[in-house]
PDB file of all heavy atoms in Angstrom:
ATOM      1  N   LYS A  13      10.620-157.370 -63.109  1.00 98.00           N
ATOM      2  CA  LYS A  13      10.568-156.395 -64.195  1.00 98.00           C
ATOM      3  C   LYS A  13      10.183-155.045 -63.609  1.00 98.00           C
ATOM      4  O   LYS A  13       9.338-154.978 -62.722  1.00 98.00           O
ATOM      5  CB  LYS A  13       9.497-156.893 -65.170  1.00 98.00           C
ATOM      6  CG  LYS A  13       9.425-156.148 -66.452  1.00 98.00           C
ATOM      7  CD  LYS A  13       8.455-156.859 -67.394  1.00 98.00           C
ATOM      8  CE  LYS A  13       8.013-155.876 -68.462  1.00 98.00           C
ATOM      9  NZ  LYS A  13       7.007-156.430 -69.354  1.00 98.00           N
ATOM     10  N   THR A  16       6.480-150.124 -66.414  1.00 98.00           N
ATOM     11  CA  THR A  16       6.599-149.146 -67.490  1.00 98.00           C
ATOM     12  C   THR A  16       5.766-147.929 -67.095  1.00 98.00           C
ATOM     13  O   THR A  16       4.612-148.071 -66.706  1.00 98.00           O
ATOM     14  CB  THR A  16       6.042-149.741 -68.799  1.00 98.00           C
ATOM     15  OG1 THR A  16       6.706-150.975 -69.022  1.00 98.00           O
ATOM     16  CG2 THR A  16       6.284-148.797 -69.963  1.00 98.00           C
ATOM     17  N   THR A  27       8.401-142.497 -72.120  1.00 98.00           N
ATOM     18  CA  THR A  27       8.180-143.764 -71.435  1.00 98.00           C
ATOM     19  C   THR A  27       9.496-144.224 -70.826  1.00 98.00           C
ATOM     20  O   THR A  27      10.529-144.204 -71.489  1.00 98.00           O
ATOM     21  CB  THR A  27       7.683-144.835 -72.425  1.00 98.00           C
ATOM     22  OG1 THR A  27       6.601-144.276 -73.167  1.00 98.00           O
ATOM     23  CG2 THR A  27       7.204-146.076 -71.701  1.00 98.00           C
ATOM     24  N   GLY A  29      11.351-147.203 -67.919  1.00 98.00           N
ATOM     25  CA  GLY A  29      11.161-148.485 -67.234  1.00 98.00           C
ATOM     26  C   GLY A  29      10.851-149.605 -68.216  1.00 98.00           C
ATOM     27  O   GLY A  29      11.158-149.521 -69.400  1.00 98.00           O
ATOM     28  N   GLY A  30      10.249-150.671 -67.693  1.00 98.00           N
ATOM     29  CA  GLY A  30       9.854-151.797 -68.527  1.00 98.00           C
ATOM     30  C   GLY A  30      10.916-152.861 -68.703  1.00 98.00           C
ATOM     31  O   GLY A  30      10.684-153.898 -69.307  1.00 98.00           O
ATOM     32  N   GLU A  31      12.113-152.638 -68.164  1.00 98.00           N
ATOM     33  CA  GLU A  31      13.191-153.594 -68.398  1.00 98.00           C
ATOM     34  C   GLU A  31      13.118-154.788 -67.445  1.00 98.00           C
ATOM     35  O   GLU A  31      12.620-154.697 -66.343  1.00 98.00           O
ATOM     36  CB  GLU A  31      14.561-152.909 -68.258  1.00 98.00           C
ATOM     37  CG  GLU A  31      14.947-152.475 -66.857  1.00 98.00           C
ATOM     38  CD  GLU A  31      14.498-151.057 -66.525  1.00 98.00           C
ATOM     39  OE1 GLU A  31      13.525-150.581 -67.136  1.00 98.00           O
ATOM     40  OE2 GLU A  31      15.112-150.450 -65.617  1.00 98.00           O
ATOM     41  N   ASN A  32      13.661-155.920 -67.910  1.00 97.00           N
ATOM     42  CA  ASN A  32      13.725-157.095 -67.042  1.00 97.00           C
ATOM     43  C   ASN A  32      15.160-157.566 -66.856  1.00 97.00           C
ATOM     44  O   ASN A  32      15.437-158.751 -66.735  1.00 97.00           O
ATOM     45  CB  ASN A  32      12.839-158.217 -67.577  1.00 97.00           C
ATOM     46  CG  ASN A  32      13.317-158.747 -68.910  1.00 97.00           C
ATOM     47  OD1 ASN A  32      14.293-158.243 -69.461  1.00 97.00           O
ATOM     48  ND2 ASN A  32      12.649-159.754 -69.440  1.00 97.00           N
ATOM     49  N   VAL A  42      15.506-157.735 -71.749  1.00 97.00           N
ATOM     50  CA  VAL A  42      14.946-156.745 -72.660  1.00 97.00           C
ATOM     51  C   VAL A  42      14.888-155.398 -71.959  1.00 97.00           C
ATOM     52  O   VAL A  42      14.406-155.292 -70.832  1.00 97.00           O
ATOM     53  CB  VAL A  42      13.515-157.160 -73.080  1.00 97.00           C
ATOM     54  CG1 VAL A  42      12.938-156.120 -74.039  1.00 97.00           C
ATOM     55  CG2 VAL A  42      13.543-158.537 -73.724  1.00 97.00           C
ATOM     56  N   ILE A  43      15.434-154.385 -72.621  1.00 97.00           N
ATOM     57  CA  ILE A  43      15.412-153.042 -72.052  1.00 97.00           C
ATOM     58  C   ILE A  43      14.748-152.130 -73.077  1.00 97.00           C
ATOM     59  O   ILE A  43      15.409-151.559 -73.943  1.00 97.00           O
ATOM     60  CB  ILE A  43      16.848-152.597 -71.706  1.00 97.00           C
ATOM     61  CG1 ILE A  43      17.412-153.596 -70.696  1.00 97.00           C
ATOM     62  CG2 ILE A  43      16.866-151.168 -71.140  1.00 97.00           C
ATOM     63  CD1 ILE A  43      18.777-153.328 -70.172  1.00 97.00           C
ATOM     64  N   PRO A  44      13.413-152.013 -72.978  1.00 98.00           N
ATOM     65  CA  PRO A  44      12.689-151.344 -74.058  1.00 98.00           C
ATOM     66  C   PRO A  44      12.872-149.829 -74.092  1.00 98.00           C
ATOM     67  O   PRO A  44      12.692-149.227 -75.134  1.00 98.00           O
ATOM     68  CB  PRO A  44      11.220-151.701 -73.783  1.00 98.00           C
ATOM     69  CG  PRO A  44      11.165-152.048 -72.331  1.00 98.00           C
ATOM     70  CD  PRO A  44      12.506-152.577 -71.962  1.00 98.00           C
ATOM     71  N   HIS A  45      13.214-149.225 -72.943  1.00 98.00           N
ATOM     72  CA  HIS A  45      13.307-147.759 -72.934  1.00 98.00           C
ATOM     73  C   HIS A  45      14.609-147.283 -72.326  1.00 98.00           C
ATOM     74  O   HIS A  45      15.105-147.856 -71.365  1.00 98.00           O
ATOM     75  CB  HIS A  45      12.127-147.167 -72.161  1.00 98.00           C
ATOM     76  CG  HIS A  45      10.819-147.630 -72.692  1.00 98.00           C
ATOM     77  ND1 HIS A  45      10.306-147.201 -73.880  1.00 98.00           N
ATOM     78  CD2 HIS A  45       9.933-148.548 -72.203  1.00 98.00           C
ATOM     79  CE1 HIS A  45       9.151-147.814 -74.110  1.00 98.00           C
ATOM     80  NE2 HIS A  45       8.910-148.647 -73.109  1.00 98.00           N
ATOM     81  N   LYS A  46      15.132-146.209 -72.920  1.00 98.00           N
ATOM     82  CA  LYS A  46      16.368-145.619 -72.403  1.00 98.00           C
ATOM     83  C   LYS A  46      16.045-144.684 -71.252  1.00 98.00           C
ATOM     84  O   LYS A  46      14.937-144.141 -71.190  1.00 98.00           O
ATOM     85  CB  LYS A  46      17.028-144.796 -73.514  1.00 98.00           C
ATOM     86  CG  LYS A  46      17.634-145.627 -74.601  1.00 98.00           C
ATOM     87  CD  LYS A  46      18.308-144.734 -75.626  1.00 98.00           C
ATOM     88  CE  LYS A  46      17.284-144.173 -76.594  1.00 98.00           C
ATOM     89  NZ  LYS A  46      17.724-143.907 -77.926  1.00 98.00           N
TER      90      LYS A  46
END
Side-chain angles (χ1 to χ4, degrees):
Chain A
K13 189 173 160 184
T16 306
T27 310
E31 69 270 25
N32 65 358
V42 180
I43 300 183
H45 305 288
K46 288 182 279 211

